[in-house]
């Protein structure tokens, strides 16, 4: 029988890659989308799947619309990717961030409990929940203490705990993927990787003279979104629901990212194209994130396939091409 999946946040980066994966596996994919004056399907267009999805309108803050989407789609699997996902903005929109990322998830869990308790749920948790906590070896795993440092981080931690609680209290098959940063050529332009690769594309085409950034010393564990959506799917194919860290286990500073990105644009002296703007410094910063995904490897058989260099090369080449034809 054809499996049915409901994906919230389907127009985002991960929603597009996950839809492509599930369509390839023969799923009927339903996309839960907020109404927008100018609906943006560019990520789904990029992967050539916009017309292969059935859309249901709704908003994570509106329980009635979630109930409706679940009744219409009758999903075997639900992937909750919808979020106000930009950490930097969450200090300016903390209440909205929690309405979507925390209470929105509670809406979804309540809806599942009442309407479709046998559906399986994937919840998009994040390494931002850890804050600056690290194990002795400098990594974060599923048991590392979570002390988030941003409204985005604490909104996601609420949801993470709610998912575990509904699993334990009501027997719902609900998993949280604690994903570390993952990127692609369709990553939002506000995120630092894409800001840099898009900036390189603009510099090469003469549209821009420099890129403005915040703290260049922070270190992140960056992987490829196309690899990470496979881990989401694998979690829901297990016999028992559980939470998993998904990461590469390596990390790089923004300076290192800049040097790799400019290398693929054949520019050596990248420093002269960078301006540090205090406006982009965060009220509280995470110094370093490096995930230990050995549990995902052991239980799910998952490990990342794309190297950091290949990821950045892919993004730079795509952005150089986009700007050369505009
Ligand atoms: P993204 O590109 O920002 O996509 C977010 C999606 O959520 C968009 O489709 C957006 O639709 C939708 N959305 C926002 N508010 C909504 C609402 N109130 N109701 C319904 N839909 C809403 O994010 P992503 O990078 O694909 O990430 C997917 C998920 O993984 C997010 O939950 C994110 O927080 C989490 N995560 C991401 C990373 C990462 O590195 N990418 C790491 C860890 C966790 P509109 O554009 O129409 O608003």
């Amino acid at each position: 029988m054809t499996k049915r999946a409901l994906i919230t946040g389907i127009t985002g980066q991960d929603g597009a890659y996950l839809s492509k994966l599930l369509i390839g596996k023969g799923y009927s994919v339903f996309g839960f989308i907020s109404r927008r004056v100018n609906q943006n399907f560019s990520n789904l267009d990029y992967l050539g799947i916009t017309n292969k999805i059935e859309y249901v309108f709704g908003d994570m803050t509106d329980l009635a619309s979630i109930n409706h989407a679940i009744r219409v789609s009758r999903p075997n699997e639900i992937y909750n990717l919808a979020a106000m996902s930009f950490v930097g903005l969450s200090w300016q929109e903390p209440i909205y961030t929690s309405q979507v990322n925390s209470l929105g998830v509670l809406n979804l869990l309540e809806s599942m409990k009442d309407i479709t308790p046998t559906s399986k749920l994937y919840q998009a948790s994040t390494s931002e929940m850890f804050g600056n906590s690290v194990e002795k070896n400098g990594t974060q795993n599923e048991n590392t203490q979570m002390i988030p440092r941003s409204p985005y981080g604490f909104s996601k931690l609420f949801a993470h705990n709610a998912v575990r609680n509904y699993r334990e209290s009501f027997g719902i098959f609900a998993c949280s993927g604690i994903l570390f940063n993952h990127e692609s050529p369709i990553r939002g332009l506000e995120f630092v990787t894409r800001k840099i690769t898009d900036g390189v594309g603009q510099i090469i085409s003469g549209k821009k003279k420099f890129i403005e950034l915040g703290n260049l010393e922070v270190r992140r564990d960056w992987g490829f979104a196309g690899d990470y959506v496979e881990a989401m799917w694998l979690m829901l194919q297990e016999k028992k629901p559980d939470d998993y860290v998904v990461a590469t286990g390596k990390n790089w500073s923004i300076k290192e990212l800049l040097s790799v990105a400019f290398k693929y644009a054949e520019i050596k002296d990248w420093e002269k194209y960078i301006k540090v703007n205090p406006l982009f410094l965060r009220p509280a910063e995470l110094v370093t994130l490096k995930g230990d995904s050995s549990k995902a490897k052991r239980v799910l058989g998952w490990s990342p396939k794309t190297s950091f260099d290949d990821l950045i090369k892919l993004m730079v080449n795509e952005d150089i091409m986009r700007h050369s034809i505009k």
Side-chain angles (χ1 to χ4, degrees):
M1 217 174 64
T2 307
K3 276 196 176 176
R4 302 159 73 88
L6 175 64
I7 304 179
T8 72
I10 197 158
T11 57
Q13 170 188 260
D14 291 7
Y17 278 101
L18 178 66
S19 301
K20 174 122 183 159
L21 178 80
L22 297 185
I23 290 166
K25 290 183 184 295
Y27 279 62
S28 283
V29 173
F30 293 77
F32 182 74
I33 53 171
S34 310
R35 186 189 170 273
R36 296 274 181 266
V37 176
N38 295 311
Q39 209 79 50
N40 187 349
F41 291 105
S42 60
N43 292 342
L44 297 163
D45 287 343
Y46 175 82
L47 296 178
I49 50 171
T50 309
N51 298 327
K52 297 185 177 158
I53 294 161
E54 269 190 61
Y55 299 97
V56 197
F57 282 107
D59 194 287
M60 293 306 292
T61 60
D62 180 354
L63 176 60
S65 71
I66 296 176
N67 288 342
H68 174 73
I70 283 181
R71 287 202 178 94
V72 168
S73 59
R74 293 180 289 110
N76 304 94
E77 296 170 11
I78 301 173
Y79 295 86
N80 182 37
L81 310 181
M84 201 310 278
S85 68
F86 186 40
V87 178
L89 184 63
S90 73
W91 275 280
Q92 286 151 52
E93 296 188 356
I95 296 170
Y96 176 70
T97 301
S98 288
Q99 281 165 345
V100 177
N101 300 2
S102 308
L103 295 181
V105 179
L106 203 48
N107 282 336
L108 181 56
L109 288 164
E110 275 295 301
S111 184
M112 285 184 69
K113 174 167 76 70
D114 292 343
I115 304 173
T116 184
T118 57
S119 298
K120 296 178 172 182
L121 172 69
Y122 171 83
Q123 164 60 17
S125 284
T126 165
S127 52
E128 291 284 330
M129 299 185 309
F130 292 118
N132 282 327
S133 306
V134 280
E135 299 299 319
K136 284 200 181 96
N137 66 3
T139 66
Q140 290 94 11
N141 64 45
E142 294 79 5
N143 300 316
T144 302
Q145 197 176 21
M146 293 176 176
I147 310 176
R149 302 254 296 160
S150 65
Y152 171 77
F154 69 65
S155 72
K156 284 283 189 176
L157 182 54
F158 176 103
H160 186 76
N161 284 324
V163 165
R164 188 192 305 113
N165 186 274
Y166 273 58
R167 179 165 80 210
E168 292 169 1
S169 306
F170 305 113
I172 288 176
F173 191 112
C175 304
S176 291
I178 306 168
L179 269 54
F180 283 59
N181 297 59
H182 47 282
E183 321 297 314
S184 74
I186 53 170
R187 181 67 146 145
L189 283 164
E190 65 275 39
F191 295 93
V192 71
T193 46
R194 186 71 202 292
K195 189 172 173 181
I196 289 171
T197 61
D198 179 74
V200 169
Q202 295 201 52
I203 288 165
I204 292 281
S205 64
K207 292 179 190 165
K208 204 173 193 167
K209 290 205 162 46
F210 53 85
I211 307 171
E212 286 187 274
L213 297 168
N215 187 344
L216 304 186
E217 304 298 335
V218 296
R219 301 185 73 83
R220 292 289 180 270
D221 178 334
W222 283 293
F224 173 49
D227 292 345
Y228 284 33
V229 297
E230 285 186 28
M232 298 177 187
W233 177 76
L234 284 168
M235 285 176 214
L236 299 198
Q237 312 316 308
E238 282 300 303
K239 287 212 172 72
K240 279 181 13 195
D242 207 344
D243 302 332
Y244 298 88
V245 161
V246 176
T248 71
K250 300 178 191 138
N251 70 11
W252 299 264
S253 68
I254 305 278
K255 276 187 180 160
E256 287 164 333
L257 165 59
L258 284 163
S259 133
V260 175
F262 277 90
K263 176 181 80 183
Y264 287 116
E266 294 175 6
I267 296 175
K268 283 198 184 107
D269 48 352
W270 59 265
E271 287 91 346
K272 73 177 194 202
Y273 296 101
I274 303 302
K275 278 194 182 167
V276 172
N277 183 340
L279 271 182
F280 295 118
L281 297 174
R282 292 176 173 174
E285 189 56 272
L286 302 193
V287 185
T288 175
L289 288 172
K290 184 157 68 157
D292 172 359
S293 57
S294 47
K295 179 176 169 186
K297 184 165 191 192
R298 194 178 68 249
V299 181
L300 307 176
W302 180 89
S303 47
K305 297 186 187 114
T306 311
S307 72
F308 177 70
D309 264 53
D310 284 350
L311 168 65
I312 302 305
K313 184 179 176 185
L314 175 72
M315 293 174 69
V316 167
N317 286 345
E318 197 80 5
D319 277 322
I320 288 177
M321 194 186 68
R322 281 177 181 136
H323 285 290
S324 68
I325 54 179
K326 266 185 199 164

